[in-house]
Amino acid sequence: ILEEPILYSYAKTTGQVITAPSKYLAIPNQSNTEKRISIKSYLLRRIYGIKGKSRLNPHILFSTMYEDLDMQPTKDDKKRNKSYIDSVLNYWKKEKFIKDYSFTKSGREYDGIMIQY
């Protein structure tokens, strides 16, 4: 490739490309599996959307995340994912990327996350 791809150039000039510091992706003491990278990247995009001009809803539903990532998690997977998401968001809170967060419930099940920015 001799020059930057035209679609990338267009996306960059219109502000559609997210550039995040690598420290937000390199969570200490956490292994990076394909699933975890997908979840972390999804949360990062959503939080930038919440904080950005588009002002997305700060309530992130797990069902929407799983649908967007094309995942069909089991009950055990959901527990592991919630634990992983908790550690990621705690790290981002410590790094002052977000102010705070809380898990939301629907009945007895956790159904999403409310982000405070």
Side-chain angles (χ1 to χ4, degrees):
I1 298 178
L2 301 175
E3 59 186 55
E4 192 173 82
I6 193 161
L7 286 176
Y8 180 76
S9 298
Y10 174 76
K12 193 164 66 172
T13 57
T14 57
Q16 297 176 358
V17 176
I18 296 173
T19 55
S22 61
K23 69 180 181 179
Y24 296 144
L25 295 173
I27 311 294
N29 303 320
Q30 294 290 335
S31 60
N32 281 327
T33 63
E34 186 177 338
K35 188 187 319 183
R36 285 182 167 191
I37 291 170
S38 297
I39 291 171
K40 189 170 26 179
S41 298
Y42 179 84
L43 291 173
L44 196 63
R45 284 192 309 274
R46 281 296 307 266
I47 291 170
Y48 270 109
I50 292 166
K51 294 169 94 173
K53 294 176 187 173
S54 60
R55 294 289 184 190
L56 293 177
N57 187 346
H59 188 209
I60 302 171
L61 292 174
F62 291 141
S63 58
T64 305
M65 179 180 71
Y66 292 139
E67 184 179 314
D68 289 349
L69 296 176
D70 197 29
M71 293 177 154
Q72 290 83 32
T74 64
K75 190 174 183 177
D76 288 337
D77 288 339
K78 288 179 183 181
K79 285 182 184 179
R80 280 190 290 273
N81 291 341
K82 181 188 170 291
S83 175
Y84 176 70
I85 289 168
D86 189 38
S87 65
V88 169
L89 293 176
N90 266 327
Y91 177 72
W92 288 348
K93 182 179 169 184
K94 188 179 97 183
E95 293 293 321
K96 301 196 184 337
F97 179 53
I98 59 173
K99 284 185 183 174
D100 204 2
Y101 69 95
S102 58
F103 288 99
T104 59
K105 279 187 170 185
S106 175
R108 292 178 27 191
E109 259 187 52
Y110 289 102
D111 70 342
I113 313 155
M114 183 62 75
I115 302 292
Q116 297 171 12
Y117 54 97

